[in-house]
């Protein structure tokens, strides 16, 4: 079956711009989580959505936002980009409680802010 | 305080040898889950193995096993018979069952290099 699909794979943006990243979960998975990965901070949780509702949010500024659509696809948006937003953004999907198989991750979107 | 600590930034292992990657965790929850993920240079996080806090047996998945010592709060990953394709970053992660239970907290990772 198809895995978690993230688009685009690579992105270069200028400071001050905004960006939208997309994530299509595995069919039947209703939970979508987003993580930011940087060399300095490692993997950090951004937010998690289930049935179009944000259930949990990490410690990130309000410039980071997301949403989930009725087909479980999710988008995250970063406004007013800063150089420090350069990172690999990973999306993960799971059935409601993840269970023993945890979360299936996509290959990520590598964002570079210049 | 760090919730997940991986003390080995980098490890080398000879092909076909076994290797142990360390992970200690900190939580006050009684119910929690521990995960190990592999991240090759392509970036995708690949699920390897899971251990629940109430599991009485150590988890095993093929060449991967988890040495779970609850009292010491450690969950070390053992890879037997290392292969060249095992070269990657390895992350230990925890999901707590209390508030905010829909997220994973990750360690900083260990870079494993398998030498032919």
């Amino acid at each position: 079956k198809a895995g978690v699909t993230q688009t685009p794979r690579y992105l270069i943006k200028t400071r001050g711009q905004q960006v939208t990243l997309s994530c299509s979960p595995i069919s039947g998975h209703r939970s979508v989580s987003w993580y930011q990965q940087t060399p300095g901070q490692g993997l950090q949780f951004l937010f998690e959505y289930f049935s179009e509702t944000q259930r949990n949010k990490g410690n990130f500024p309000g410039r980071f936002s997301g949403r989930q659509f009725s087909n479980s696809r999710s988008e995250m948006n970063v406004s007013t980009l800063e150089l420090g937003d350069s990172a690999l953004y990973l999306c993960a999907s799971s059935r409601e409680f993840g269970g023993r198989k945890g979360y299936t991750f996509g290959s990520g979107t590598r964002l570079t802010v210049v | 305080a760090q919730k997940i600590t991986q003390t080995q930034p980098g490890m080398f292992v000879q092909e076909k040898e076994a290797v142990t990657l360390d992970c200690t965790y900190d939580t006050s929850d009684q119910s929690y889950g521990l995960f190990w993920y592999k991240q090759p240079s392509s970036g995708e996080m690949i699920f390897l193995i899971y251990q629940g806090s109430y599991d009485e047996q150590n988890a095993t998945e093929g060449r991967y096993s988890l040495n779970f010592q609850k009292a010491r709060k450690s969950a070390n990953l053992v890879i037997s018979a290392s292969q060249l394709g095992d070269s990657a970053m390895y992350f230990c992660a925890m999901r707590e069952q209390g508030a905010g239970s829909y997220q994973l907290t990750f360690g900083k990772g260990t870079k494993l290099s398998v030498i032919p």
Side-chain angles (χ1 to χ4, degrees):
Chain A
K1 64 183 178 183
V4 177
T5 303
Q6 290 189 247
T7 56
R9 287 296 312 275
Y10 301 92
L11 207 49
I12 300 175
K13 288 287 188 179
T14 304
R15 271 182 301 175
Q17 286 186 314
Q18 75 166 19
V19 67
T20 299
L21 312 182
S22 178
C23 172
S24 294
I26 289 174
S27 177
H29 285 191
R30 296 165 66 191
S31 168
V32 174
S33 304
W34 289 89
Y35 292 82
Q36 181 196 64
Q37 185 177 23
T38 60
Q41 298 299 316
L43 281 147
Q44 294 185 286
F45 172 77
L46 280 156
F47 26 65
E48 188 265 355
Y49 288 88
F50 179 81
S51 291
E52 302 178 66
T53 299
Q54 185 182 89
R55 292 195 295 192
N56 199 16
K57 189 177 192 302
N59 189 24
F60 278 83
R63 300 185 297 107
F64 291 81
S65 63
R67 59 177 176 169
Q68 186 180 35
F69 302 95
S70 59
N71 62 357
S72 294
R73 190 176 72 85
S74 177
E75 289 181 348
M76 68 163 281
N77 183 278
V78 188
S79 62
T80 318
L81 284 165
E82 300 176 359
L83 295 179
D85 297 333
S86 294
L88 179 67
Y89 290 88
L90 290 162
C91 164
S93 77
S94 73
R95 298 189 185 279
E96 181 172 1
F97 292 114
R100 304 185 69 85
K101 292 298 184 183
Y103 306 82
T104 303
F105 283 79
S107 296
T109 293
R110 189 165 295 280
L111 171 65
T112 302
V113 182
V114 298
Chain B
Q2 291 284 334
K3 287 205 170 186
I4 299 286
T5 302
Q6 295 181 252
T7 57
Q8 308 150 311
M11 290 275 288
F12 290 89
V13 64
Q14 205 76 35
E15 195 178 3
K16 300 180 185 177
E17 299 281 305
V19 63
T20 298
L21 306 183
D22 295 341
C23 173
T24 57
Y25 60 92
D26 183 29
T27 181
S28 56
D29 282 2
Q30 296 301 306
S31 179
Y32 52 88
L34 297 157
F35 300 80
W36 276 92
Y37 282 88
K38 171 184 178 182
Q39 186 179 42
S41 56
S42 60
E44 182 179 357
M45 299 284 281
I46 302 167
F47 167 77
L48 296 177
I49 198 166
Y50 169 85
Q51 181 83 40
S53 58
Y54 293 119
D55 293 343
E56 294 185 354
Q57 305 276 351
N58 285 344
T60 60
E61 292 276 355
R63 295 186 299 111
Y64 305 107
S65 61
L66 201 151
N67 184 0
F68 182 47
Q69 298 190 44
K70 194 171 181 177
R72 294 187 177 184
K73 293 189 174 178
S74 76
N76 298 338
L77 176 71
V78 180
I79 305 174
S80 62
S82 297
Q83 302 172 355
L84 295 178
D86 293 335
S87 293
M89 284 292 293
Y90 288 80
F91 292 94
C92 179
M94 177 171 62
R95 180 182 65 212
E96 295 168 284
Q97 302 301 114
S101 61
Y102 305 111
Q103 68 183 78
L104 293 175
T105 302
F106 286 88
K108 296 291 187 184
T110 296
K111 183 175 182 179
L112 178 66
S113 300
V114 181
I115 305 166

